[in-house]
Amino acid sequence: MTTLPTVELTVYAYECDAYGHLNHATAVALLERARWESLARGPGIDLFHRNGVMPVVRKATVEYRAAVFPGDVLRVELTVAERGTTSWTVRHVVTRASDTMPVFDGEVVLVCLDRTGRPTPLPDELATLLGPRTSGAHGTRRVVVAGGSAELAVDVRGDGVAVLFVHGFPFDRTLWRHQLAALTRYRRIAPDLRGVGESRGTSDEYSMARYAEDLAGLLDALDVRRAVVCGLSMGGYIAFEMVRRYPERVRALMLCDTRASADAEDARRRRDELAALAGRDGPGAVGERLIPNLLGAATRAERPEVQEQLLAMSRRYSVPGMAGALRAMRDRPDSTRDLPKITVPTLVMVGAEDPTSPPAVMKTMADAIPGARYVVVPAAGHASPLEQPLASSRAMADFLDGLPASEATG
Ligand code: MLT
């Protein structure tokens, strides 16, 4: 993704409402100001004029995260999330400069019009500035791995230390949408695993080893030698496999809502029943069976959209992808004896109400990993990064910011 110059803007009192907050209209206007400022720092604000075209906004969405007040200085990171023939999408990640608190993100689709008001192909100078055409939606890349047996869809954002986000089951990469927006000082890499979401798996091979191999191939393709591996639940099982197989690729670990033990006999039987359900009634039926029982009470009561988002993720599995994930989890090795051998900095994070990897289990796991940091996220269940995005992202940012220099830069 092409990055445009980052800008800092001060919020003025006239941009705020009677309660002193930046209001919606001015948030959108502020994003526009940021784009012009960014142009002023790059090719100049006469870029469109000198090429005989004008940009118009076709769609703008803003997602708010925290209140903004007069006098706040906001840092706006701009990336070209998508580039077509006549249009492009700019993603804005807005943080408060004083403490890097994420305050809102915006996504704006612009179209290039000629002097008669018709859409027209981007002039060369603009096309060069915005970078190569993207194929997938929102700048998603596609990377072929494992000798062509899978093609992974992956979101890659920002620069800095690489953080590889590995989703759990039955979720996809959008589980990490808030962390991708918030952790702006890091290179965030979030793939869909094979057979999930927009990724394809062309073979029937599913195992923790295969997933780990896919991810090592993904890091190769992105030219990343070492990454902080952040895995939630099944993503944690894969993170353990990466530590076993590719220790040199793992800079640090963030283990969320996961467990080190293998499946007991009854759990193995339930995996087979769920695989049969996916084959009979579709992957969404498995989501409907599992997801309502995974969330915290506050999420269920106050944020029904979180459950909807998770159900939508489960529907994006292919049947082989879902059955394969269930088999891979059923047959995964026990990682308990590996815990004391982990030598990289590790964050162990759990939702206070996680029913499947409860705090007591996670605490025991953290105690077995030398020097691990243990954090409980209040009012969250099994999907803590989505249920409590601010608290989860803050815990991750604190951990990442505190990595020793050799971990942070090596
Ligand atoms: C997950 O979130 O990945 C699952 O709960 C893992 C599991 O079923 O063991």
Side-chain angles (χ1 to χ4, degrees):
M1 253 185 291
T2 307
T3 303
L4 303 173
T6 295
V7 297
E8 291 197 352
L9 300 173
T10 303
V11 175
Y12 298 107
Y14 75 85
E15 294 174 302
C16 299
D17 61 21
Y19 298 95
H21 300 84
L22 185 74
N23 65 37
H24 173 70
T26 41
V28 174
L30 194 129
L31 297 182
E32 179 151 21
R33 187 145 63 94
R35 289 196 299 282
W36 285 109
E37 275 291 329
S38 181
L39 268 192
R41 281 165 213 204
I45 56 171
D46 62 344
L47 169 72
F48 298 102
H49 186 69
R50 67 176 181 258
N51 283 286
V53 294
M54 55 185 176
V56 292
V57 172
R58 192 156 63 187
K59 181 175 160 200
T61 52
V62 177
E63 195 169 351
Y64 295 98
R65 304 186 183 287
V68 175
F69 299 100
D72 282 350
V73 176
L74 302 183
R75 180 172 301 133
V76 187
E77 241 192 34
L78 300 105
T79 45
V80 181
E82 209 181 346
R83 207 275 269 172
T85 309
T86 60
S87 67
W88 68 103
T89 302
V90 180
R91 192 171 286 147
H92 313 65
V93 175
V94 187
T95 49
R96 200 160 53 207
S98 57
D99 58 0
T100 72
M101 162 78 112
V103 289
F104 62 96
D105 326 317
E107 198 149 275
V108 174
V109 181
L110 297 117
V111 64
C112 186
L113 300 187
D114 65 15
R115 289 195 199 283
T116 66
R118 291 202 194 88
T120 186
L122 306 181
D124 285 349
E125 192 186 5
L126 183 55
T128 307
L129 174 77
L130 299 177
R133 276 178 60 90
T134 50
S135 44
H138 306 297
T140 302
R141 296 194 199 177
R142 307 197 64 83
V143 175
V144 174
V145 294
S149 76
E151 189 185 60
L152 304 186
V154 55
D155 288 326
V156 185
R157 287 169 68 171
D159 296 309
V161 169
V163 183
L164 174 65
F165 289 96
V166 189
H167 62 77
F169 177 90
F171 312 137
D172 68 13
R173 71 186 196 278
T174 61
L175 175 75
W176 306 108
R177 63 184 74 184
H178 297 287
Q179 287 65 47
L180 259 61
L183 298 172
T184 56
R185 283 194 284 198
Y186 298 91
R187 186 170 186 206
R188 290 92 77 198
I189 302 171
D192 280 336
L193 295 168
R194 62 168 59 214
V196 178
E198 294 179 75
S199 290
R200 306 275 160 269
T202 55
S203 76
D204 205 22
E205 269 182 69
Y206 286 85
S207 63
M208 291 304 148
R210 175 55 84 190
Y211 287 132
E213 188 189 335
D214 288 351
L215 296 179
L218 174 66
L219 294 181
D220 289 342
L222 299 177
D223 227 4
V224 173
R225 197 170 57 85
R226 296 177 79 208
V228 178
V229 180
C230 173
L232 182 133
S233 201
M234 181 175 80
Y237 312 156
I238 299 170
F240 290 133
E241 194 65 37
M242 290 195 76
V243 172
R244 274 191 292 272
R245 285 176 177 262
Y246 310 105
E248 71 290 353
R249 310 297 296 259
V250 181
R251 187 191 289 273
L253 283 170
M254 298 198 284
L255 301 169
C256 313
D257 301 283
T258 190
R259 54 170 67 230
S261 55
D263 272 5
E265 209 36 61
D266 56 335
R268 288 169 59 82
R269 221 178 12 256
R270 278 199 300 276
R271 304 285 190 200
D272 294 336
E273 286 163 13
L274 287 172
L277 178 64
R280 196 175 58 243
D281 297 339
V286 172
E288 274 155 36
R289 167 95 50 102
L290 296 178
I291 289 165
N293 302 319
L294 295 178
L295 303 176
T299 310
R300 283 200 305 271
E302 292 155 29
R303 302 193 51 214
E305 73 280 7
V306 170
Q307 176 161 316
E308 275 317 306
Q309 287 162 356
L310 292 167
L311 287 170
M313 293 181 209
S314 71
R315 291 193 287 267
R316 291 195 285 263
Y317 277 64
S318 67
V319 173
M322 181 162 272
L326 286 160
R327 270 198 316 275
M329 289 190 286
R330 180 194 67 190
D331 299 338
R332 74 184 188 279
D334 193 319
S335 300
T336 313
R337 273 188 308 180
D338 297 324
L339 300 177
K341 297 186 226 151
I342 293 177
T343 53
V344 291
T346 300
L347 169 69
V348 173
M349 196 175 91
V350 61
E353 301 165 37
D354 185 337
T356 67
S357 26
V361 170
M362 293 286 284
K363 175 76 170 77
T364 306
M365 190 174 94
D367 287 344
I369 302 174
R373 181 184 300 187
Y374 174 67
V375 172
V376 178
V377 180
H382 189 58
S384 48
L386 193 65
E387 292 179 70
Q388 291 297 337
L390 281 180
S392 303
S393 299
R394 174 51 60 105
M396 290 182 190
D398 285 349
F399 172 74
L400 292 168
D401 293 349
L403 287 179
S406 60
E407 304 301 333
T409 58

